[in-house]
Amino acid sequence: PAVRAVDRDAISVTDRLGDAAVFTFDKVFGFEAKQEEIFEEVSQLVQSALDGYKVCLFSYGQTGSGKTHTMLGAGAGPEAGIIPRAVNKVLEQAETLRAKGYEYVMEASYVEIYNEQIRDLLKPGADHDEKLSIAVNPAGGCPTVLGVMREQVRSVDAAADLVRRAAAARAVESTQMNAQSSRSHTLFLLYITGTHAASGQTLSGCLNLVDLAGSERTDRSGAEGQRMREACAINKSLSTLGDVFKAIGENAKHVPYRNSKLTHLLAPCLGGDGKTLMLVNVAPERESAEESMHSLQFAAKVNAVELGGGKTRAKRNVTVADPNGASAGGGNGGDPNKSRRSSVMPLPPGALARRASMAAGAGGAKTMRPGGTENAPPKSTLDRDRFGVRR
């Protein structure tokens, strides 16, 4: 194979001329990595959404490199991906915290961005002619699309049904590089509200799990007509994602979030007060060496970026009701320190450890995942943890 995991934090790729380049990240998973291992690496980040943080995790890579397998997986067994495992984990942890006086309500939306149009994957018969818009300064600061369905998530089975319905509605087509190529970005948006009656405190967090459409070279994918238009829209939005990270890394006064629907929607998580983790998937075969090299080069650039320019830290969205009916906010217009001092509710178990180990500030991460086909187990994975967050 052209891609090889050198050790736990280094990966090499050899181009068609035989020249090899080695990239170092915080975590690299080899061909034999299991879905469980991948999720274990990101589990603590996922759980911090219960603490009132905005959390975003997305997969990046060329078409056919295994992104959808990493995010969705296959079935509910060992091959289950990050999305079903994440929902299961937060529901499980919420039930554990019930004994400590916490009550959580979770609602989910599932949307896709196709040719720069947002579509509700949970609404029966929804099409791309709908004029759905992105909320500006939404309550709680979480990515929000106006007018889409939100379904309450009470169990793992309910979440699994929701994911199945959304996956069936997603736009996929066959190309020369991938028999089932995703032609859209999909975003699973889980809104989490936790209350603690004894302290009067409310935590509002969100978990945003994103399966990006794959970048592609149209000369290899054979895209023509509508497939070509889809590929151009995909590549443009991914290019904008790179421009956003570049602007953040340079502390630019203007960050071009609104140049694409994807970055516009994810802006609350990329701006520095959320936690963001990026998984980078690469395909191992020699025919894909050039694309794998480009993916790793992009990952290396993002690896050097601190979200918020290193000036902001991830914030908990906390409100505390006082005897007069007013509230003090933490992370959304109020003084987070004041909120914590006035609260008698301790952070959920493991929160302090997570904040220390995940570096709650400005951050994010990156993981590379085994390459393969979009809907078959990938064969090479890379992990990275940065954007201002280091483990």
Side-chain angles (χ1 to χ4, degrees):
V3 177
R4 183 173 63 89
V6 178
D7 55 37
R8 69 177 303 278
D9 61 2
I11 187 168
S12 70
V13 57
T14 304
D15 63 22
R16 288 178 294 178
L17 299 177
D19 296 325
V22 177
F23 298 84
T24 301
F25 299 93
D26 292 312
K27 182 70 175 180
V28 171
F29 292 100
F31 303 122
E32 73 290 346
K34 306 297 184 184
Q35 296 279 56
E36 182 179 3
E37 296 175 54
I38 305 301
F39 182 72
E40 185 62 29
E41 187 69 23
V42 304
S43 176
Q44 290 185 339
L45 179 69
V46 165
Q47 293 178 69
S48 65
L50 290 166
D51 302 342
Y53 288 102
K54 296 188 290 287
V55 177
C56 178
L57 191 156
F58 62 93
S59 57
Y60 176 91
Q62 74 177 85
T63 184
S65 60
K67 299 180 301 300
T68 296
H69 182 77
T70 300
M71 297 303 294
L72 285 176
E79 292 303 312
I82 287 175
I83 291 177
R85 289 175 184 270
V87 174
N88 182 61
K89 175 61 69 174
V90 295
L91 287 171
E92 179 183 276
Q93 185 66 6
E95 187 61 31
T96 299
L97 294 174
R98 183 187 296 271
K100 299 180 182 295
Y102 297 89
E103 292 291 338
Y104 282 94
V105 175
M106 303 184 194
E107 295 182 323
S109 296
Y110 216 134
V111 302
E112 75 171 350
I113 300 175
Y114 173 83
N115 282 351
E116 284 299 292
Q117 296 296 317
I118 301 176
R119 177 182 173 218
D120 187 352
L121 291 177
L122 298 181
K123 181 179 179 180
D127 56 37
H128 299 290
D129 294 329
E130 295 177 290
K131 299 300 181 182
L132 299 175
S133 58
I134 298 168
V136 178
N137 298 322
C142 290
T144 301
V145 178
L146 300 175
V148 300
M149 293 182 64
R150 280 198 190 187
E151 296 190 10
Q152 194 160 346
V153 179
R154 295 188 174 91
S155 68
V156 174
D157 289 341
D161 177 67
L162 182 152
V163 170
R164 279 194 297 270
R165 285 157 45 207
R170 184 181 189 180
V172 296
E173 293 291 344
S174 176
T175 70
Q176 292 178 14
M177 293 181 67
N178 190 355
Q180 287 197 324
S181 175
S182 300
R183 312 309 290 170
S184 65
H185 309 303
T186 59
L187 299 92
F188 175 77
L189 311 173
L190 184 65
Y191 303 94
I192 303 172
T193 302
T195 58
H196 191 267
S199 66
Q201 194 173 54
T202 299
L203 302 171
S204 299
C206 54
L207 181 61
N208 309 282
L209 303 175
V210 186
D211 181 12
L212 296 178
S215 59
E216 65 181 82
R217 288 168 49 196
T218 54
D219 59 336
R220 283 197 65 201
S221 67
E224 297 178 345
Q226 181 63 18
R227 302 291 84 76
M228 174 69 80
R229 287 189 289 274
E230 292 166 352
C232 290
I234 291 168
N235 290 340
K236 179 182 177 182
S237 64
L238 295 176
S239 177
T240 299
L241 183 64
D243 293 340
V244 165
F245 286 129
K246 182 175 184 291
I248 293 172
E250 295 175 349
N251 291 318
K253 292 182 179 180
H254 172 70
V255 179
Y257 293 117
R258 297 199 177 204
N259 284 5
S260 82
K261 294 287 177 61
L262 174 67
T263 51
H264 186 189
L265 182 56
L266 294 181
C269 295
L270 302 178
D273 61 356
K275 298 183 178 184
T276 300
L277 176 126
M278 188 176 91
L279 301 102
V280 179
N281 291 65
V282 293
E285 64 270 11
R286 291 197 176 277
E287 294 80 5
S288 298
E290 185 175 348
E291 289 90 341
S292 296
M293 182 74 77
H294 289 163
S295 293
L296 292 175
Q297 289 171 342
F298 177 79
K301 291 177 181 178
V302 175
N303 195 43
V305 174
E306 291 190 47
L307 294 187
K311 299 177 182 179
T312 61
R313 296 179 60 83
K315 300 174 183 176
R316 296 173 70 222
N317 187 10
V318 184
T319 57
V320 183
D322 66 21
N324 298 318
S327 64
N332 187 29
D335 181 352
N337 295 322
K338 181 178 180 181
S339 293
R340 294 191 186 100
R341 287 197 300 271
S342 62
S343 170
V344 298
M345 181 178 75
L347 288 175
L352 291 176
R354 284 199 295 275
R355 287 162 64 187
S357 64
M358 299 297 293
K366 196 184 301 185
T367 305
M368 184 162 80
R369 205 339 177 172
T373 61
E374 196 79 11
N375 293 302
K379 297 193 173 149
S380 160
T381 305
L382 160 69
D383 169 27
R384 128 92 211 127
D385 187 332
R386 175 100 164 141
F387 298 4
V389 176
R390 301 210 57 103
R391 282 188 278 275

